[in-house]
Amino acid sequence: MIGINNIGLSFGGFSLFENINFLVNKGNRIGLIGKNGAGKSTLLKIISGRLSPDAGNISKPSGSKIGFLTQDIQQKKGITILDETKSAFVEIVELEQKLEKLNHEISTRTDYESDEYHKLLEDLHTATERFSLIGGYTYEADIERVLMGLGFTRKDFDQNIETFSGGWQMRIELAKLLLQKNDLLLLDEPTNHLDIESIIWLEEFLKQENATVIIVSHDRAFLNNVTNRTIEITFGRIYDYNLPYSKYLALRDDIREKQASAKKNQDKEIAQTEQLIEKFRAKASKASFAQSLIKKLDRMERIEIDEEDTRKMKFSFPPAPRSGTVVAKADDLTKSFGDNTVFSKVNIELTRGQKVAFVGQNGQGKSTLVKILTHQLEFEKGTVHEGHNIKLGYYAQNQADSLDGKKTILQTIEDAADEDTRKKARTILGSFMFTGEDVDKKVSVLSGGERGRLAICKMLLQPINFLVMDEPTNHLDLVSKDVLKQALLNYDGTMIIVSHDRDFLDGLAENVYEFKEGHVKQYLGGIEYFLEQRQVNNLREVEKRAIKKAETPKESSSNKENYKRKKELEKELRKVKNKHQKIEQRIEDLEEEVKSLDRDLQDPEKFKQLSTQPNFYEDYEQKKEDLNEAMTQWEMLSEDIETKETELKNL
């Protein structure tokens, strides 16, 4: 258990947050959410010990280990990927070297009866036992599993780390953290540099390992698939519920609706009471009654509605100037960097109004092709044709980082705008949530998401009919992503989106181009169609299906057997859904009990009373264990329901 106790932090007189309290228990997979600039990354730095708070402290058991994946990593050189990943196993590597030395010394000595020789044998036995206990005989297989899960190939293992991009080096850091068996993992935007397949692998890894983790992410699907608890930071306070992101949102809205209704009734009661007080205050015979009403009002605990940060970007793309029918075309395009051929013989044609997505692993050429199509990069072979009357808008992957940190927000827009647009700079910035004194902030002090919003704002100062956006959502908060997606859905120009965010791409692109092993393959459908097709092409899935089919050959042998199996499944499904409903109710009851106890523990008087009760702490821990067990059962039942519904659908 790790405790975050009354944490507070201020910057330049502005309070980022205060009195932040929550416990992290084993098996918690927490999604830490909030608007850009709310303090999510800062809180992770405090928990990791890299930043000291102004108030409060972090309590943790002696010897506990916290691993932290930051958005910024230190570039390394002169070491292979395998050796760098092995550095996660400090004790194992040291023991490996010690065992090699002991074995060599024993094999070269002949004084078999001496005390020194027997001491060497004892040391060898002790070191071998410890080596086995901490996974010395399996760690290299674990390294291979994790690195390949994150997209590396075996031939990459012996390559020097500096030959890989920053995104791939981030994957190496993530691999080390996953292998270290930390007590708590802090992951700040772990999916920013992962392709869709690696994200899916990471989801499964975190769930199967039952990792204790706090995740800052703007990938809604990732949060829903991984987390079992959500903590939102808003206006310096937190809201904490044992639910994944989407379920938390539904519950939070329901709670606010009930608070609003209760406050409305209370306000009505207060108004009526105040009228009675005014009516009887001046009458001597009713003075005591009026005083009792006043005391009643004083004792009344006023209902407050949880604060909600409803600010969001408000913008839409201006109508796209009409372009030619063919916007961009590439024929037999080949691009190499030295001896490395990124892709060859690529053919692509974009027509007016078409919206496409580029997907694939980092380093497969998505950004490279984008730069070629936008005339940012030369190529070796093939031809590239630009259509008639093209007005390009290009958002590069590092667009937000390329902004001048010495300029203010207002200067950034004014310097990029024409004379007429410059007069409306403050209004335009207001649409992107930069209001009042915010516009005088230096770009250097902005969060990643704030810089991202500013970069998009700057890009839209000119009319666009060919929009190219390379990873535009990397640092945007969930609300800003939704606004951007809606604007893109309404955009009437031609568009290329490079992204790994499944939820963002869903419904946005009508065609998908996959970049893999030097080739570019077109899928004539959106991201869901692409994922379905890739699942079929996944050999492991094919093997699983073949095994399942071999185990149940009679189930599809005739319509009669199908009908019988369908009835059995429907009956089983009803039972599982009934159990699922009951366990959901149990989870709600346990959560309420635990929350009630947590509130009591924060009250000094109640804490004093509770601490004297026999077995209180044991009962308290037992309730939390029961809650975790119930959540695990709920997840298993959910998977069972999904499996049975899929089988029913296929019968």
Side-chain angles (χ1 to χ4, degrees):
M1 181 189 295
I2 293 175
I4 289 77
N5 309 309
N6 297 313
I7 294 297
L9 186 68
S10 298
F11 286 115
F14 169 74
S15 178
L16 187 60
F17 38 67
E18 56 185 20
N19 296 324
I20 299 291
N21 289 282
F22 61 93
L23 295 175
V24 182
N25 295 307
K26 187 175 181 180
N28 281 169
R29 298 191 297 275
I30 299 171
L32 184 61
I33 64 171
K35 293 285 183 69
N36 293 135
K40 304 181 297 294
S41 297
T42 301
L43 184 56
L44 291 190
K45 289 177 183 176
I46 291 173
I47 295 171
S48 71
R50 298 192 180 192
L51 182 66
S52 297
D54 296 332
N57 62 80
I58 307 297
S59 59
K60 56 183 180 179
S62 177
S64 60
K65 296 190 298 181
I66 297 177
F68 185 21
L69 180 73
T70 66
Q71 293 184 32
D72 303 309
I73 62 168
Q74 191 174 14
Q75 302 293 315
K76 296 183 179 179
K77 294 182 178 180
I79 187 171
T80 67
I81 287 177
L82 182 60
D83 287 339
E84 174 62 17
T85 311
K86 278 185 176 182
S87 68
F89 300 94
V90 176
E91 187 181 1
I92 288 178
V93 172
E94 288 177 353
L95 279 172
E96 204 168 34
Q97 294 170 352
K98 183 177 180 179
L99 285 170
E100 186 178 349
K101 183 179 178 182
L102 286 170
N103 279 313
H104 175 72
E105 195 167 349
I106 288 171
S107 66
T108 57
R109 294 183 69 141
T110 58
D111 53 337
Y112 307 123
E113 301 299 326
S114 68
D115 292 340
E116 290 82 359
Y117 189 84
H118 284 286
K119 179 66 168 59
L120 285 173
L121 291 176
E122 288 176 7
D123 290 346
L124 178 65
H125 176 73
T126 302
T128 302
E129 280 195 337
R130 178 63 182 167
F131 187 73
S132 176
L133 182 65
I134 62 176
Y137 294 109
T138 60
Y139 86 103
E140 289 187 333
D142 291 336
I143 287 175
E144 183 175 316
R145 175 171 66 97
V146 171
L147 285 177
M148 293 186 71
L150 291 174
F152 292 95
T153 62
R154 285 187 180 87
K155 68 178 182 181
D156 294 331
F157 291 5
D158 295 322
Q159 299 296 316
N160 276 350
I161 196 170
E162 65 264 26
T163 62
F164 289 81
S165 67
W168 283 97
Q169 292 192 36
M170 186 72 76
R171 294 190 193 206
I172 298 168
E173 288 300 309
L174 177 57
K176 287 162 58 180
L177 289 173
L178 297 178
L179 289 162
Q180 280 174 347
K181 309 296 182 185
N182 289 288
D183 298 290
L184 172 63
L185 270 177
L186 306 175
L187 303 180
D188 195 357
E189 298 290 0
T191 65
N192 270 3
H193 300 283
L194 300 182
D195 56 87
I196 291 174
E197 289 184 6
S198 295
I199 291 172
I200 293 171
W201 177 88
L202 180 59
E203 289 173 356
E204 291 303 313
F205 181 92
L206 293 174
K207 287 189 290 186
Q208 289 174 6
E209 296 291 320
N210 196 29
T212 304
V213 60
I214 302 178
I215 302 167
V216 172
S217 178
H218 298 136
D219 186 329
R220 182 181 280 102
F222 181 71
L223 289 174
N224 282 333
N225 290 338
V226 171
T227 62
N228 54 24
R229 181 178 169 188
T230 301
I231 295 178
E232 180 178 16
I233 303 180
T234 182
F235 293 121
R237 299 175 58 189
I238 66 165
Y239 299 92
D240 182 1
Y241 290 91
N242 287 317
L243 292 168
Y245 175 70
S246 292
K247 291 193 174 184
Y248 160 73
L249 286 185
L251 179 62
R252 183 191 65 178
D253 291 342
D254 183 53
I255 289 171
R256 286 198 177 114
E257 284 179 15
K258 289 177 179 176
Q259 286 175 338
S261 177
K263 189 176 189 306
K264 184 178 179 181
N265 292 333
Q266 189 184 65
D267 289 345
K268 186 177 179 181
E269 181 186 352
I270 290 171
Q272 291 171 345
T273 304
E274 287 175 340
Q275 287 176 1
L276 288 173
I277 291 170
E278 289 301 315
K279 182 178 180 180
F280 297 124
R281 188 193 297 271
K283 296 181 180 180
S285 61
K286 298 291 185 179
S288 61
F289 178 59
Q291 286 299 316
S292 68
L293 290 176
I294 291 171
K295 290 178 181 178
K296 176 186 174 183
L297 281 184
D298 290 340
R299 290 193 303 268
M300 184 179 291
E301 187 176 342
R302 304 300 172 103
I303 296 171
E304 293 183 359
I305 300 174
D306 291 342
E307 286 187 283
E308 182 178 13
D309 191 348
T310 57
R311 297 173 299 161
K312 64 179 182 180
M313 290 194 297
K314 298 175 183 177
F315 84 98
S316 58
F317 290 92
R322 187 171 179 82
S323 69
T325 303
V326 176
V327 173
K329 185 179 181 182
D331 293 315
D332 292 330
L333 198 64
T334 297
K335 176 61 184 174
S336 301
F337 291 101
D339 295 332
N340 177 32
T341 300
V342 182
F343 50 70
S344 62
K345 296 185 178 180
V346 170
N347 294 285
I348 183 172
E349 181 176 292
L350 298 176
T351 56
R352 184 175 59 239
Q354 191 176 13
K355 296 179 179 180
V356 304
F358 285 1
V359 302
Q361 291 183 339
N362 291 343
Q364 294 295 322
K366 304 185 300 297
S367 298
T368 299
L369 182 55
V370 158
K371 289 175 182 176
I372 290 173
L373 293 175
T374 56
H375 309 292
Q376 310 285 319
L377 192 64
E378 298 295 328
F379 54 93
E380 284 74 43
K381 296 179 181 178
T383 60
V384 173
H385 170 72
E386 182 183 280
H388 174 66
N389 193 35
I390 299 302
K391 306 294 183 184
L392 175 68
Y394 175 46
Y395 183 97
Q397 193 170 142
N398 62 344
Q399 193 79 21
D401 297 328
S402 66
L403 296 172
D404 188 345
K406 296 178 182 178
K407 290 184 179 181
T408 66
I409 293 172
L410 183 59
Q411 287 171 338
T412 300
I413 297 303
E414 286 181 337
D415 291 351
D418 58 32
E419 188 174 346
D420 290 335
T421 306
R422 197 175 296 124
K423 298 173 184 177
K424 300 180 287 185
R426 288 181 179 272
T427 303
I428 294 169
L429 284 169
S431 299
F432 286 82
M433 296 169 57
F434 298 112
T435 58
E437 296 179 357
D438 286 345
V439 300
D440 297 320
K441 287 182 179 178
K442 295 284 188 183
V443 171
S444 59
V445 304
L446 301 180
S447 70
E450 289 169 327
R451 288 197 301 270
R453 294 205 309 268
L454 182 59
I456 294 172
C457 179
K458 181 181 176 182
M459 184 184 69
L460 295 181
L461 295 174
Q462 307 298 330
I464 298 167
N465 57 19
F466 182 24
L467 177 63
V468 180
M469 304 192 84
D470 193 352
E471 301 289 4
T473 67
N474 267 0
H475 297 290
L476 293 183
D477 61 53
L478 291 158
V479 175
S480 297
K481 277 172 53 176
D482 289 341
V483 174
L484 175 60
K485 180 175 180 178
Q486 190 58 51
L488 291 172
L489 285 168
N490 296 331
Y491 173 61
D492 59 351
T494 307
M495 180 176 75
I496 297 175
I497 297 290
V498 180
S499 181
H500 59 260
D501 190 322
R502 293 156 290 173
D503 186 70
F504 183 74
L505 290 175
D506 188 18
L508 189 57
E510 58 201 38
N511 282 176
V512 174
Y513 286 87
E514 183 188 22
F515 290 66
K516 190 174 183 180
E517 296 175 355
H519 301 286
V520 180
K521 181 179 179 181
Q522 183 181 15
Y523 291 81
L524 299 174
I527 192 65
E528 292 303 319
Y529 174 77
F530 162 72
L531 289 174
E532 287 174 9
Q533 295 300 304
R534 289 295 289 116
Q535 189 175 18
V536 170
N537 291 333
N538 188 312
L539 294 178
R540 285 176 295 177
E541 288 297 322
V542 173
E543 288 172 6
K544 287 179 184 177
R545 291 178 185 180
I547 292 169
K548 188 173 180 181
K549 188 174 181 181
E551 289 174 344
T552 57
K554 295 179 180 178
E555 290 176 5
S556 57
S557 61
S558 68
N559 290 334
K560 185 177 179 181
E561 289 296 319
N562 276 345
Y563 178 80
K564 183 179 177 182
R565 177 58 182 156
K566 185 177 180 181
K567 289 300 178 184
E568 289 174 354
L569 269 175
E570 288 172 346
K571 184 178 179 181
E572 291 169 10
L573 190 57
R574 284 194 297 271
K575 287 182 179 179
V576 176
K577 284 186 174 180
N578 188 36
K579 288 181 182 178
H580 191 262
Q581 189 175 2
K582 288 179 179 178
I583 203 71
E584 273 189 347
Q585 184 59 51
R586 176 162 170 75
I587 288 170
E588 289 179 13
D589 293 341
L590 284 168
E591 284 178 338
E592 189 56 42
E593 290 176 22
V594 171
K595 279 167 51 181
S596 177
L597 287 171
D598 286 339
R599 286 194 296 268
D600 290 345
L601 287 171
Q602 292 175 11
D603 185 320
E605 289 298 322
K606 290 183 178 179
F607 175 78
K608 188 175 180 180
Q609 294 173 12
L610 292 170
S611 62
T612 61
Q613 293 180 9
N615 301 324
F616 167 75
Y617 288 106
E618 289 84 353
D619 293 342
Y620 174 65
E621 291 298 327
Q622 185 61 50
K623 284 188 186 299
K624 290 194 288 187
E625 287 180 15
D626 291 345
L627 178 58
N628 286 333
E629 185 179 340
M631 290 294 291
T632 302
Q633 291 177 9
W634 182 88
E635 290 177 0
M636 291 173 64
L637 289 169
S638 298
E639 291 176 3
D640 196 13
I641 289 171
E642 185 178 347
T643 301
K644 285 180 167 55
E645 286 178 339
T646 301
E647 189 176 347
L648 263 175
K649 186 178 178 181
N650 293 332
L651 280 175

